[in-house]
Amino acid sequence: MADTCGQIALGSGLTVLSHPLMYIKVLVQVGHEPLPPTLGRNIFGRQVYQLPGLFAYAKHIVKIDGKSGLFKGLAPRLCAGTIGTLVHSSVLQESGNGKKEDCSSLQHVVNEFKGCDNVSVSVSGCVCFFKSPLPAFSSPLSQTTKEMVARSCATIVTHPFHVITLRCMVQFIGRETKYSGVFDSMVTIYKEEGILGFFAGLIPRLLGDIFSLWICNMLAHLINTYAIDSSMNHMGEIKNCFQAVTGFFASMVTYPFVLVSNVMAVNNCGLAGGLPPYASVYPNWVDCWRHLSREGNMSRGNSLFFRKIPAGKTYAMEQKRFF
């Protein structure tokens, strides 16, 4: 219980610190470009027209809404983080069948998948120790499956708060105040969209989480089995390096699922940012995926620095987006 409370406290602190970054990222993901391209230099020093980056975007928000404007949607996001941690821990404890001796915070994803204590590694930061020995490859498979179930349960339970968070953020585009609080937002969604409105964009989000988990854990197992020798020096530094590589690779591969999920969460919800002429209306997430892919926007919002102008697009000052 103490460990769970520690995870909640740490997670809440990181959520507060990272919220402005997520806020700007979401606005870029839905296609909002309030500032026109400017002449700048790329990473190679060449002069090119670029879209405003993280800091320019943040200054624009502060200019309109003040510094507190960078924290729109923070309350439901904190609720999602707290409830998600509790659900995740509870499901993992139930799936342990009484064998689990300890579960503590994980500082790196790449860790030992086999050994004297059969350590199970999860992407969300939980290490579980089991008394009974397990086969070398069945251990990561079984533990990754348990972690997948725990993360999926947490995602499903907290998705309504995730939807409210995104809609609170996207209100910046049309200057609406439709979603002003957690409870009021729940009432609004239920009245207008019913129960299904709370789970808009859930399927691509679940798929992205599952694929990311399996990619990270299986790569970690393969690296520890075939690429790292236990007799090597600086084992900790080597594993931390591989952690960064596998995490970056998994995030790049699964980013389209994150993008489509966020777009669908605000699509056709009554906000200017999710309605024509500003945005298209999609009947389902597959149609959204196809449209974004066709337009070459599957990586939109993936980077907030050195942002290139979309090829073949024209910036519309009035709509503040590219067409």
Side-chain angles (χ1 to χ4, degrees):
M1 184 62 185
D3 185 69
T4 301
C5 292
Q7 289 181 14
I8 292 174
L10 177 61
S12 298
L14 293 176
T15 296
V16 173
L17 292 175
S18 66
H19 193 77
L21 175 64
M22 179 187 174
Y23 184 19
I24 295 169
K25 195 179 192 72
V26 168
L27 292 178
V28 174
Q29 285 176 336
V30 298
H32 185 56
E33 298 292 350
L35 302 173
T38 57
L39 189 63
R41 295 186 180 275
N42 60 16
I43 56 176
F44 302 106
R46 288 180 53 192
Q47 279 195 333
V48 294
Y49 277 99
Q50 296 177 333
L51 293 172
L54 172 66
F55 300 110
Y57 214 126
K59 287 180 181 178
H60 173 74
I61 295 174
V62 171
K63 183 179 178 181
I64 295 176
D65 291 335
K67 292 182 180 178
S68 61
L70 291 171
F71 296 92
K72 284 186 177 179
L74 178 60
R77 191 176 175 213
L78 286 173
C79 291
T82 301
I83 297 172
T85 300
L86 293 173
V87 172
H88 180 271
S89 299
S90 299
V91 175
L92 276 183
Q93 288 176 6
E94 289 297 324
S95 65
N97 296 325
K99 294 180 182 178
K100 186 166 58 175
E101 291 184 328
D102 184 40
C103 185
S104 59
S105 296
L106 180 64
Q107 296 180 358
H108 51 80
V109 172
V110 182
N111 206 327
E112 293 294 336
F113 268 103
K114 60 179 184 176
C116 59
D117 287 320
N118 293 295
V119 184
S120 167
V121 182
S122 70
V123 173
S124 64
C126 191
V127 183
C128 301
F129 299 85
F130 288 82
K131 293 180 179 179
S132 57
L134 295 170
F137 195 69
S138 66
S139 178
L141 283 177
S142 61
Q143 299 313 311
T144 301
T145 301
K146 292 178 181 179
E147 175 66 18
M148 178 185 69
V149 172
R151 289 185 58 172
S152 296
C153 291
T155 297
I156 293 170
V157 171
T158 61
H159 194 74
F161 297 98
H162 181 67
V163 171
I164 294 171
T165 298
L166 296 177
R167 295 185 181 184
C168 288
M169 293 174 171
V170 173
Q171 286 183 139
F172 175 81
I173 298 172
R175 310 306 300 159
E176 298 106 335
T177 57
K178 184 176 180 179
Y179 300 94
S180 56
V182 177
F183 180 75
D184 290 342
S185 298
M186 286 184 172
V187 173
T188 300
I189 293 174
Y190 182 75
K191 284 183 178 179
E192 295 185 358
E193 304 169 59
I195 294 295
L196 292 180
F198 292 108
F199 299 97
L202 174 62
I203 295 177
R205 187 183 177 203
L206 269 178
L207 292 175
D209 281 349
I210 291 171
F211 289 152
S212 177
L213 173 65
W214 280 95
I215 289 172
C216 282
N217 280 17
M218 291 302 99
L219 281 178
H221 173 72
L222 293 174
I223 289 169
N224 277 280
T225 303
Y226 301 107
I228 297 180
D229 188 348
S230 58
S231 62
M232 296 171 63
N233 295 326
H234 308 291
M235 282 290 292
E237 290 82 354
I238 294 174
K239 289 181 179 181
N240 285 333
C241 179
F242 279 121
Q243 170 211 356
V245 173
T246 54
F248 177 77
F249 178 73
S251 66
M252 290 293 292
V253 171
T254 59
Y255 181 77
F257 291 96
V258 177
L259 174 62
V260 171
S261 174
N262 289 352
V263 171
M264 289 303 298
V266 301
N267 190 245
N268 198 23
C269 67
L271 299 177
L275 291 170
Y278 187 85
S280 301
V281 174
Y282 306 107
N284 54 65
W285 73 271
V286 176
D287 187 70
C288 176
W289 183 294
R290 289 172 179 168
H291 180 262
L292 291 175
S293 180
R294 189 166 56 249
E295 295 290 322
N297 289 327
M298 292 303 286
S299 62
R300 189 169 66 191
N302 195 17
S303 173
L304 296 179
F305 298 97
F306 302 106
R307 299 175 57 219
K308 298 187 298 182
I309 297 177
K313 302 286 185 178
T314 302
Y315 181 74
M317 183 71 72
E318 211 172 298
Q319 285 83 14
K320 297 182 179 179
R321 66 174 294 138
F322 284 91
F323 291 96

